[in-house]
Amino acid sequence: MTTGRAVEGWGVLERAVDLARRGTPFVLATVVWREGPSSGQHGSRAILTASGEIHGWIGGACAEPVFKREAVKALEAGTPRLLALGASDRFGELPPGTMAVEMSCHSEGALQIYLEPVMSMPHLVIVGDSPMAQTLAEQAGQLDWNVELVAGPDFGEGLLSGGSIVIIATQGHGDEDLLLAAMKSKPAYLGVVASAKRGEVIRSFLAAQPIDPAALDALRIPVGLDLGRTTHKEMAVAILAELVQRRAAGEFTVAVDIDTPRVETAIDPVCGMTVDAVDTSHPLEVGDETYYFCCPGCRTAFESRQEA
């Protein structure tokens, strides 16, 4: 896991925008309430990426392990969560759905941290250079989707992944070859701008090829919602409307590959804080058991108890 402590304040939001544009999933954490003394301040922000990188500052030794652990859970679930960190008598009345994590931190402060997972935007590849294709690219761009507009001769399966959405809009110029190339990558969605009659011809051709019948069944020809006779701009709206509808139904959800190492945790026997069971957590072996501590002070206090 790497850190980017130099990024703070508005710089964290700038980093978040950059990650979102690059399609990198992450969690944005913001301190929305605090009761001092606490190193975390109102509006303190930090980012945890799927690869385990941390940018910004959310709090000290007490808050950071909980932030990392709960941020990974939020990223896996793809849903936001509100954390309340501190002694239970400092929480007060919590909003419904808040996850309370009791900590007996030496600072005696308390925090509420909002964790917001930011998932990668859809990757839309539009093949063609017609006015409709250009309009569709512009409209999808307004939704902050990751859009690539490529001419037919420049298209190749190397542009795609399993999460890509592909629209073939070359108006009959090499549709069949483009579809065969696209199907090799098994994209999340594949559609062709064509009439129903033209679609039958394309399907007949593909049926004679050594391709997965399920992929042929999933192929959308004509693509988009049926709005009747439309202009090219309206056709772009119809296509984007179908894609938005399918995305809202969860069809384009891609599992996040989280590379953050899974670390075992332990309870500090002195303050009750959850800590990572690693060498930096001041381990102490007593008989056959190893204890871990949030700081040297807790370890010293525990050793004093053993000697008493």
Side-chain angles (χ1 to χ4, degrees):
M1 179 179 294
T2 60
T3 60
R5 299 299 185 195
V7 181
E8 58 182 332
W10 291 108
V12 176
L13 295 181
E14 292 174 355
R15 182 65 56 86
V17 171
D18 178 62
L19 291 171
R21 286 176 175 169
R22 289 193 277 124
T24 302
F26 64 93
V27 171
L28 176 63
T30 305
V31 175
V32 295
W33 175 88
R34 73 178 289 271
E35 187 173 275
S38 171
S39 58
Q41 303 296 317
H42 285 107
S44 292
R45 297 183 180 91
I47 288 170
L48 176 75
T49 68
S51 61
E53 294 180 346
I54 296 177
H55 306 279
W57 174 262
I58 202 67
C62 296
E64 185 174 278
V66 179
F67 156 60
K68 291 190 293 186
R69 183 176 69 248
E70 297 302 324
V72 168
K73 294 179 182 178
L75 196 57
E76 288 176 330
T79 55
R81 59 185 62 194
L82 180 63
L83 302 179
L85 312 182
S88 58
D89 59 358
R90 306 292 294 275
F91 290 154
E93 185 175 353
L94 296 173
T98 303
M99 178 177 293
V101 180
E102 187 168 356
M103 298 189 310
S104 301
C105 187
H106 291 167
S107 70
E108 298 184 343
L111 296 171
Q112 288 184 22
I113 304 172
Y114 184 65
L115 301 178
E116 180 182 7
V118 180
M119 315 306 286
S120 59
M121 298 303 287
H123 177 219
L124 175 60
V125 178
I126 306 167
V127 187
D129 54 6
S130 68
M132 192 288 304
Q134 295 172 8
T135 300
L136 177 58
E138 293 170 2
Q139 292 175 343
Q142 290 296 314
L143 300 181
D144 294 326
W145 288 19
N146 180 12
V147 182
E148 293 188 67
L149 178 63
V150 298
D154 299 327
F155 175 75
E157 60 183 287
L159 295 174
L160 309 180
S161 69
S164 298
I165 301 168
V166 185
I167 303 297
I168 306 296
T170 50
Q171 297 180 311
H173 297 290
D175 291 346
E176 290 84 354
D177 290 338
L178 292 170
L179 283 167
L180 289 174
M183 285 180 169
K184 292 179 181 179
S185 296
K186 300 180 180 179
Y189 179 97
L190 181 57
V192 183
V193 178
S195 66
K197 185 176 180 179
R198 170 63 177 155
E200 292 177 2
V201 174
I202 293 175
R203 286 185 181 278
S204 295
F205 168 80
L206 294 176
Q209 308 302 313
I211 60 176
D212 184 357
L216 183 57
D217 291 340
L219 179 63
R220 287 282 295 170
I221 312 176
V223 66
L225 300 181
D226 184 3
L227 301 182
R229 296 180 62 86
T230 59
T231 66
H232 74 266
K233 289 186 177 180
E234 292 168 339
M235 185 181 298
V237 171
I239 294 171
L240 188 57
E242 181 193 348
L243 298 181
V244 170
Q245 182 184 63
R246 287 172 175 262
R247 181 175 186 244
E251 291 189 27
F252 303 144
T253 301
V254 179
V256 179
D257 184 12
I258 299 176
D259 295 330
T260 303
R262 307 290 174 165
V263 179
E264 295 293 328
T265 59
I267 302 298
D268 185 321
V270 174
C271 67
M273 179 177 153
T274 299
V275 297
D276 292 339
V278 295
D279 290 343
T280 55
S281 294
H282 318 285
L284 175 67
E285 293 186 7
V286 179
D288 295 332
E289 189 166 357
T290 301
Y291 297 91
Y292 296 88
F293 304 88
C294 70
C295 63
C298 277
R299 172 174 166 154
T300 300
F302 183 79
E303 289 177 308
S304 298
R305 292 179 186 176
Q306 304 304 304
E307 295 171 357

